Amino acid sequence: MFFLASKVFWLLAQPLSVVFLLMLIAIATLFWGRRRLAAAALVLGLLIHGIVSFSNLGYLIMQPLEDRFAVPAPPPENVDAIIMLGGATLERPSSARQITELNDAGDRLTTTLWLAKKYPAAKIFISGGSGALTDEGEAEATTAERFFLAFGISRDRLVLEGASRNTDENVANTKALLGANADGTILLVTSAFHMPRSVGIFEKTGLSVIPWPTDYRTPGQQSFGFDIANPVQNVNVTTAGIKEWVGLLIYNWTGKTSDLFPGP
């Protein structure tokens, strides 16, 4: 129920959906003769679209998330397990073509591969099922397995968890598979903006992990301003940033994390 509710909520609450709904309201109220209400909905929709698409608002929203944790320096000498959270591949083309097609978060895979080679004795736990409302193909863990095998990582080092559909299930299902590795040194690999919520859930379950953030989207400290170079990317970053802050709020409200903004 939590998974379904979160998907439906975000389908309606993301910026592009809000703009679309406001346009529908504008059209409907115009036909009903409510011109002022139609004009207000139209102006608000255009304002939201303009700010999200043609400013750096998304980067300002995401920056505190990405700055919360840093790559450990110095890195640990020995690592028993590496956990990679899913969300790095495109499900439909990967399943249909039996390849590993990466999305914007593909650094999760490449960083985990680098760590796997740096720590050759570590087990690699790949957590990721399907985050879609309908079954569109194979579990992401299976897709990621092809990637690691293609780059020479031994199959016996890989532990696949392909049932989880969200971060909460990532943590619960992976913890159940860790076994004796749960008492060792564990690296957690996920996108930098996703790390606070992920660490918070692991801490709530009593499992200690060392964050290894990757997939950075923001360039660093900046002030609000116009950004017309790549409107599509601006929309994507804003959407991801808002979704993550909402996720932090809901996970804390429902008791899945102890802190609203988990940190070091």
Side-chain angles (χ1 to χ4, degrees):
M1 182 61 71
F2 182 84
F3 170 75
L4 179 61
S6 65
K7 288 297 182 181
V8 172
F9 169 79
W10 189 243
L11 177 64
L12 299 175
Q14 60 185 301
L16 287 183
S17 295
V18 172
V19 172
F20 179 71
L21 291 173
L22 286 169
M23 296 301 100
L24 289 180
I25 291 172
I27 293 172
T29 51
L30 185 61
F31 277 111
W32 291 339
R34 304 288 297 275
R35 293 188 176 183
R36 289 186 178 180
L37 184 56
L42 179 62
V43 170
L44 182 58
L46 288 174
L47 183 62
I48 294 174
H49 177 67
I51 292 176
V52 169
S53 301
F54 301 106
S55 79
N56 64 346
L57 174 66
Y59 299 93
L60 298 178
I61 292 173
M62 188 175 283
Q63 185 176 312
L65 296 167
E66 292 196 334
D67 291 346
R68 194 63 168 167
F69 290 93
V71 172
E77 292 185 7
N78 299 297
V79 170
D80 298 289
I82 302 167
I83 300 173
M84 187 201 82
L85 302 187
T89 65
L90 296 174
E91 183 175 337
R92 284 184 288 181
S94 295
S95 299
R97 300 177 183 274
Q98 289 297 287
I99 57 176
T100 306
E101 194 63 41
L102 308 187
N103 61 21
D104 290 346
D107 284 359
R108 299 188 193 188
L109 277 167
T110 57
T111 298
T112 302
L113 175 64
W114 181 81
L115 289 170
K117 293 182 178 293
K118 179 177 177 63
Y119 300 105
K123 282 281 190 180
I124 305 163
F125 293 80
I126 307 169
S127 180
S130 173
L133 284 173
T134 57
D135 185 12
E136 296 184 354
E138 66 189 13
E140 184 173 8
T142 302
T143 304
E145 179 188 26
R146 279 197 297 273
F147 177 86
F148 290 109
L149 292 178
F151 281 94
I153 302 301
S154 174
R155 177 64 184 82
D156 60 9
R157 294 183 63 192
L158 303 176
V159 181
L160 307 184
E161 186 286 294
S164 58
R165 301 170 297 173
N166 56 31
T167 308
D168 184 46
E169 293 179 2
N170 284 147
V171 175
N173 295 347
T174 303
K175 184 179 179 181
L177 294 173
L178 280 170
N181 290 293
D183 297 323
T185 301
I186 304 172
L187 300 183
L188 175 63
V189 179
T190 189
S191 299
F193 70 86
H194 186 235
M195 189 61 79
R197 181 157 56 106
S198 303
V199 170
I201 302 170
F202 273 107
E203 288 180 344
K204 184 71 174 182
T205 66
L207 189 64
S208 177
V209 295
I210 299 175
W212 199 292
T214 188
D215 176 37
Y216 286 89
R217 313 288 177 94
T218 64
Q221 295 292 331
Q222 56 185 317
S223 302
F224 179 78
F226 291 106
D227 183 355
I228 61 174
N230 195 333
V232 174
Q233 181 173 311
N234 293 342
V235 172
N236 289 339
V237 171
T238 304
T239 301
I242 293 174
K243 182 179 181 181
E244 197 57 36
W245 280 110
V246 171
L248 282 166
L249 179 63
I250 293 177
Y251 272 58
N252 182 247
W253 177 57
T254 56
K256 299 182 187 300
T257 60
S258 298
D259 302 313
L260 178 60
F261 192 26

